[in-house]
Amino acid sequence: MAAKRKRGALAAGKAKRARSAPSAGEAVPERGPRERSVPPEERSVPPEEYSIPPPVSQGKWKNKERVLIFSSRGINFRTRHLMQDLRTLMPHSKADTKMDRKDQLFVINEVCEMKNCNKCIFFEAKKKQDLYMWLSNTPQGPSAKFLVQNIHTLAELKMTGNCLRGSRPLLSFDPMFDREPHYALLKELFIQIFSTPQYHPKSQPFVDHVFTFTITDERIWFRNYQIIEEDASLVEIGPRFVLNLIKIFQGSFGGPTLYENPHYQSPNMHRRLIRLSVAAKFREKQQVKEVQKIKKKGTKVLVEEDPTEVVFETPAEEKPVEIQLVKPESKPIVKDKKKLRKIQRKKQKKLFRTET
């Protein structure tokens, strides 16, 4: 129950307010020159304090590209670190929870729509050892599927460079991207995904690193370098990885196939060829052993005797055959030498007595 108010409480409060307010007949005291109110426009900042300067780029963020970077379940630690490195390098990226492997890939278009993203980088893991990357323009397309190889992340000691977090990168492309039509399509897709939009709220108005896309051995090699101000030399920051193109689709995560790489070899086929080569080497060794056994069992070629071999042989003298009719005396087995000497002395004494 709320406490009851007293009857004179409200009247007393009004009386106090009335006393504080000046009456009509009283004169209002004038303020001195220091107490005079100053409008906010004429107020100056004290010399001890400082104000935060406005941002350098005053432009408007028009190119609102947002990239969703996430993966499926079953990825290893190296893939997780690579995904985190791409998120730190791209301030216009967004993250999401891992997708179940049983779900279909076209569900990603709905996830991008809910996250308000129009580009997507999706890492798909298979057999806990193969990694595939999808680059897609959602929801219309096109999309490309790559096999990711030779992954090296930012945390490795080989990457000695460093750059400002959120700075805008330069994109450097191989001249091969302008010669082939499928490479030209991939170039436009890379530009829209990896380039930071101008005047993005989370980006910095500096350019201090370069993304390079190089084509060698029918693969796309991705590198990230820092630009050093002194001599404009490049130091690698990371991450680095190799993209082996599989297919380019007209739609987002599916649709008609625009291009299929004829030089692509699946990891399963590569492992199968390695197993077959090892088995072929083992069979070859077994065949060599069988051939050697057959050679050993084969008949040996007899060489004719040389008549001159017996020239220097001298026949041994023939000795008459002696037959021993008396059984030899058995010698006593004595382990102690002193006893043996005593026995020999006794025999000698007997012989001497018989002779005398």
Side-chain angles (χ1 to χ4, degrees), residues 277-291:
S277 64
V278 173
K281 288 181 181 178
F282 180 74
R283 285 196 217 97
E284 188 177 353
K285 288 182 181 179
Q286 294 294 329
Q287 290 175 0
V288 170
K289 288 181 180 179
E290 290 176 0
V291 170

Side-chain angles (χ1 to χ4, degrees), residues 3-15:
K4 294 182 179 180
R5 294 182 181 178
K6 296 181 181 180
R7 293 180 180 178
L10 185 61
K14 290 182 178 179

Side-chain angles (χ1 to χ4, degrees), residues 29-193:
E30 295 183 1
R31 294 182 181 180
R34 293 184 182 179
E35 298 178 359
R36 194 174 298 165
S37 61
V38 182
E41 293 82 6
E42 299 179 5
R43 293 175 186 172
S44 60
V45 181
E48 296 178 358
E49 299 179 3
Y50 60 91
S51 60
I52 300 172
V56 179
S57 57
Q58 297 285 350
K60 190 177 180 182
W61 178 32
K62 296 179 181 179
N63 182 21
K64 297 190 177 183
E65 295 282 352
R66 298 182 183 88
V67 183
L68 181 65
I69 303 176
F70 71 118
S71 67
S72 65
R73 297 193 180 277
I75 61 172
N76 55 6
F77 72 99
R78 195 176 293 274
T79 308
R80 188 170 65 253
H81 290 182
L82 173 64
M83 189 169 56
Q84 191 62 34
D85 293 345
L86 290 177
R87 287 172 183 168
T88 55
L89 289 173
M90 301 164 64
H92 60 293
S93 64
K94 286 188 176 183
D96 196 20
T97 56
K98 295 179 181 178
M99 195 179 75
D100 196 0
R101 284 180 289 184
K102 296 180 182 178
D103 295 339
Q104 299 295 328
L105 290 177
F106 62 83
V107 180
I108 301 174
N109 296 325
E110 299 177 4
V111 178
C112 292
E113 187 178 356
M114 287 188 293
K115 287 283 183 178
N116 197 16
C117 297
N118 51 5
K119 300 289 185 297
C120 181
I121 300 177
F122 177 67
F123 292 95
E124 185 181 7
K126 291 185 178 179
K127 294 187 176 181
K128 295 185 179 180
Q129 55 183 345
D130 302 330
L131 179 64
Y132 298 91
M133 179 192 285
W134 286 83
L135 300 179
S136 176
N137 179 23
T138 57
Q140 291 87 10
S143 59
K145 185 180 181 182
F146 301 92
L147 175 67
V148 187
Q149 299 170 331
N150 302 336
I151 299 173
H152 298 275
T153 58
L154 277 168
E156 295 187 9
L157 297 176
K158 296 178 183 177
M159 313 300 182
T160 57
N162 192 8
C163 67
L164 184 67
R165 185 185 179 94
S167 58
R168 302 180 69 238
L170 292 174
L171 299 185
S172 174
F173 290 94
D174 193 272
M176 190 70 181
F177 278 96
D178 298 327
R179 297 173 189 170
E180 299 291 337
H182 60 280
Y183 283 139
L185 178 61
L186 290 178
K187 179 181 178 181
E188 185 63 30
L189 196 61
F190 288 149
I191 289 172
Q192 294 183 14
I193 290 177

